[in-house]
Amino acid sequence: MVVVGAGMAGVRTAVALREKGYGGRITLIGAEPHPPYDRPPLSKAILLGTAEGSAFDIDFEALSVDLRLGLEATGLRPSDRELDTTAGPVPYDVLVIATGAEPAVLPGTEGVPGVHPLRTLDDAVRLRPVLERRREVVVVGAGWIGAEFTTAAREAGCVVTVVEAADRPLAGVLPAEVAAPMTDWYAESGAELLTGTGVAAVEPGTVILADGRRLAADAVVVGIGARPATAWLAGSGIALGADGSITADERLRTSLPDVYAVGDCASFPSARYGERLLVHHWDNALQGPLTVAAQAVGETDPVYDPVPYFWSEQFGRFVQYAGHHGAADTLVRRGDPAGASWSAVWLRDGVLVALLAVGRPRDLAQGRKLIEAGARLDRELTADPAVPLRKAVR
């Protein structure tokens, strides 16, 4: 068994295989030289210097996992059952692809000094001095990463300007009526949010906007999305979607025999939502490996159809989301979006399909279980924030 990718999905796959009783050899291959680590702290404790690292507390030697770091996957030859790497070919009987996603690059910024993504431990370490020196920072993109970095940078005392091409934060993730109130969060933190304008060019120390304005920038942090890290699979014959994801089936099997895919690099069909989902979040990388491990030891019944879940800590708020609201027909609010805590609930034919909770963890915990159960809610009771969601079931 060879697992390529040593992030959460890859590490969790190796651990789950042993937990399931898999007794064969396991090789875990990671492109980075660092011991495998958790990513959520990168935009928080590591960036702010309150933690030096977030390595997983796992004894790979005790698990009899052959951990090989600093090896990048460069190709796959299924006819030979070999994975090509920068250190040569690695043979496999069963392969699990867990190479994650890579940040989108802002066109024209390749090689420009002072331009940073925030995806890896090295990215966070390079950005730490910027925060320590309280520099002027321009953040491109008001998505989840942009908001979390802005939160940390303002906490450190940096002057922050956020540039977003859309008319609101999280435009590609949440509908306008839900995301619009989040605009005020930036001003409350002391950051300036510029919406409806793109970046025309980046020069050392300066960001030039599409409308001609020039912004001083000791550093530019780019958070405009990510794409599955699957370019290395070109010519392998593995099926990919238009979004670059490996199109796994309901058991996370790929189009190639004895090859699985988990985490940010793979999409999967959801019977619950009636469409294929690509989920770039921590919980997906945690849960998917359980299905792969079950397949490896002959448990063919489990299928992978989770209720997607993620969280974000930004601007003093704990934001959580469960489900998928794409096919919802009704939005119900719980609480005032201008307040410190509120929720947005999505229904489809009266059935709860998704929920966004801001400072309302009980809503999230109850809502996630109700989504899993396919519960039907009473709209009036759901709209009353004083009524627990579980009491709104009809």
Side-chain angles (χ1 to χ4, degrees):
M1 180 77 69
V2 174
V3 182
V4 55
M8 169 59 80
V11 168
R12 184 61 182 145
T13 297
V15 172
L17 284 166
R18 291 298 187 226
E19 290 176 344
K20 280 288 186 180
Y22 179 78
R25 181 180 178 183
I26 301 174
T27 301
L28 177 60
I29 295 173
E32 295 183 54
H34 310 290
Y37 58 88
D38 206 7
R39 293 188 186 276
L42 297 183
S43 60
K44 306 173 185 71
I46 295 175
L47 190 60
L48 289 169
T50 58
E52 291 303 316
S54 58
F56 293 114
D57 185 17
I58 296 172
D59 188 337
F60 292 99
E61 185 176 351
L63 287 174
S64 296
V65 172
D66 181 14
L67 180 61
R68 303 181 64 185
L69 301 176
L71 272 66
E72 185 176 350
T74 58
L76 177 62
R77 290 176 287 112
S79 59
D80 298 325
R81 291 201 173 229
E82 287 188 335
L83 171 76
D84 289 325
T85 75
T86 48
V90 177
Y92 68 86
D93 294 312
V94 178
L95 178 68
V96 181
I97 301 174
T99 47
E102 52 196 9
V105 176
L106 186 65
T109 61
E110 297 89 339
V112 178
V115 178
H116 304 266
L118 181 51
R119 185 77 183 182
T120 69
L121 177 60
D122 288 338
D123 293 336
V125 171
R126 280 190 287 266
L127 278 166
R128 189 186 293 175
V130 174
L131 271 62
E132 290 174 346
R133 297 167 189 165
R134 301 182 178 182
R135 298 300 182 91
E136 289 185 285
V137 182
V138 172
V139 179
V140 183
W144 301 115
I145 288 295
E148 291 183 1
F149 175 82
T150 299
T151 299
R154 285 299 302 140
E155 184 177 332
C158 294
V159 176
V160 183
T161 304
V162 182
V163 179
E164 170 56 54
D167 62 352
R168 62 187 186 277
L170 298 167
V173 181
L174 297 173
E177 61 267 36
V178 175
M182 298 176 176
T183 299
D184 294 336
W185 298 359
Y186 287 81
E188 290 172 8
S189 76
E192 182 178 10
L193 174 62
L194 304 178
T195 58
T197 185
V199 173
V202 178
E203 301 172 351
T206 305
V207 173
I208 304 171
L209 302 183
D211 59 12
R213 281 180 289 178
R214 301 173 70 91
L215 305 176
D218 295 303
V220 179
V221 177
V222 179
I224 55 174
R227 186 174 176 84
T230 56
W232 64 278
L233 290 167
S236 68
I238 199 166
L240 301 178
D243 54 12
S245 68
I246 300 169
T247 51
D249 69 6
E250 71 280 0
R251 291 179 172 83
L252 300 180
R253 298 172 297 199
T254 74
S255 60
L256 298 178
D258 298 317
V259 179
Y260 297 85
V262 292
D264 292 3
C265 67
S267 61
F268 58 90
S270 171
R272 186 191 310 276
Y273 292 106
E275 61 182 286
R276 179 168 287 275
L277 300 181
L278 175 61
V279 180
H280 281 182
H281 293 296
W282 186 89
D283 192 66
N284 179 50
L286 181 70
Q287 301 299 332
L290 302 179
T291 297
V292 172
Q295 302 297 310
V297 297
E299 298 177 10
T300 58
D301 288 339
V303 298
Y304 191 60
D305 194 7
V307 173
Y309 167 74
F310 71 88
W311 80 94
S312 176
E313 296 177 76
Q314 52 184 271
F315 306 114
R317 295 168 171 87
F318 189 43
V319 183
Q320 296 173 284
Y321 179 95
H324 178 66
H325 66 270
D329 53 38
T330 303
L331 171 65
V332 182
R333 293 189 179 279
R334 288 170 59 81
D336 182 0
S341 62
W342 51 274
S343 295
V345 175
W346 285 272
L347 308 176
R348 183 178 63 208
D349 297 328
V351 175
L352 178 62
V353 294
L355 180 143
L356 175 76
V358 178
R360 291 181 66 93
R362 181 176 296 179
D363 276 5
L364 191 286
Q366 294 182 11
R368 191 176 184 182
K369 293 178 180 178
L370 294 174
I371 295 170
E372 291 174 348
R376 188 176 300 274
L377 302 186
D378 179 280
R379 183 171 178 175
E380 289 189 7
L381 291 175
T382 300
D384 186 345
V387 175
L389 274 179
R390 59 185 175 82
K391 297 290 188 180
V393 177
R394 63 180 185 183

